[in-house]
Amino acid sequence: MVIATRRDTKSAIMDSAELLMAEHGINGVSLREILRQANANPAALNYHFNSKEGLIHSILDRRGHDIRVRRMELLRTLEGSESTPTVAGLIDAIVDPLLEFLYQEGEPGRRFLRFLARLHSDRTGVIYRMEREEFPEMVSSIERVLSTASPHLPKRERRLRMDMVLDTMYQSLGNADVMSEDWLNNDHHPHLDEHISVLKRFLCGGLSAP
């Protein structure tokens, strides 16, 4: 019999939570259910995560770190360019790291995307607190680029539209037909690329409109 190491148990709990929360909602699944599927006990949860919110933070950090790093690279390039940033450039910086992640990670990436979509739609506030409190540089960079690319928008409306952009991006991708469970097996990449292109045009329209 294989005895799980601490690292194995931690990953199992995160995998279980990611899958169940994506399917049933952040508040639609209990910690007991998560632990039962992970074959773990409450002591392991307390040891590794301390709380449900701590567990969510760990899931976001595990798969989201590379996305955030890549997004920050693209944002810095936009801000450092001699040309004036455009809305299209900003949308590329926001969407492309997610697409790169999906292609690189495959099925685990799809599951994480569905988790992100559910996290945004459930309005728990966790994701917004993390973005504002833990990634202020990225949030500030997005706001600066958007203020330059769409100077006609008041500050409050820029923030509201950006929240709508993120919601739409995650929901559109996480629940798209092209992101069904067999997307890797049926050569869906061209369909995903087409979906992304339409999504980008739609998001650009939202940030550019009067």
Side-chain angles (χ1 to χ4, degrees):
M1 181 177 68
V2 177
I3 300 176
T5 64
R6 286 180 177 176
R7 181 176 182 180
D8 293 333
T9 300
K10 182 178 182 180
S11 296
I13 294 172
M14 286 193 285
D15 288 343
S16 173
E18 185 180 74
L19 185 64
L20 290 173
M21 288 180 179
E23 184 176 351
H24 301 292
I26 305 306
N27 295 320
V29 59
S30 68
L31 291 176
R32 181 178 298 178
E33 291 174 281
I34 291 169
L35 292 172
R36 183 168 59 246
Q37 178 159 311
N39 195 26
N41 56 50
L45 178 78
N46 292 331
Y47 178 81
H48 291 295
F49 310 106
N50 191 44
S51 65
K52 191 173 190 177
E53 184 162 327
L55 172 57
I56 293 171
H57 278 232
S58 294
I59 295 171
L60 289 169
D61 190 61
R62 175 177 64 163
R63 301 203 195 279
H65 177 266
D66 291 345
I67 297 173
R68 293 192 299 271
V69 169
R70 177 62 175 148
R71 190 169 283 157
M72 201 63 232
E73 288 176 358
L74 296 175
L75 288 168
R76 288 196 186 104
T77 298
L78 273 178
E79 289 201 88
S81 174
E82 295 182 358
S83 304
T84 302
T86 63
V87 167
L90 176 59
I91 292 300
D92 285 343
I94 292 171
V95 176
D96 286 353
L98 194 57
L99 182 61
E100 293 168 5
F101 170 81
L102 282 170
Y103 281 148
Q104 179 178 342
E105 295 296 321
E107 180 58 17
R110 186 189 77 94
R111 292 199 302 267
F112 180 63
L113 173 63
R114 288 173 56 80
F115 171 78
L116 284 177
R118 197 59 188 253
L119 190 60
H120 271 262
S121 66
D122 279 6
R123 294 289 186 266
T124 62
V126 175
I127 190 77
Y128 299 111
R129 285 196 297 274
M130 285 190 70
E131 288 171 351
R132 296 287 172 183
E133 296 172 10
E134 300 184 27
F135 316 117
E137 183 184 5
M138 184 172 66
V139 172
S140 296
S141 181
I142 289 174
E143 290 178 346
R144 287 194 300 269
V145 171
L146 184 56
S147 68
T148 303
S150 293
H152 62 288
L153 297 178
K155 184 176 182 179
R156 174 170 170 73
E157 179 146 353
R158 286 200 302 268
R159 288 187 175 181
L160 286 172
R161 290 197 191 190
M162 183 52 60
D163 285 342
M164 293 175 186
V165 161
L166 294 175
D167 278 346
T168 302
M169 176 181 69
Y170 289 125
Q171 298 305 322
S172 176
L173 281 173
N175 299 303
D177 290 341
V178 71
M179 295 306 296
S180 60
E181 291 183 1
D182 59 354
W183 74 287
L184 285 176
N185 299 324
N186 292 331
D187 194 23
H188 282 183
H189 286 192
H191 302 292
L192 177 57
D193 289 339
E194 180 185 15
H195 187 93
I196 290 287
S197 294
V198 175
L199 174 63
K200 283 184 175 182
R201 291 195 293 272
F202 183 82
L203 297 178
C204 283
L207 291 181
S208 303

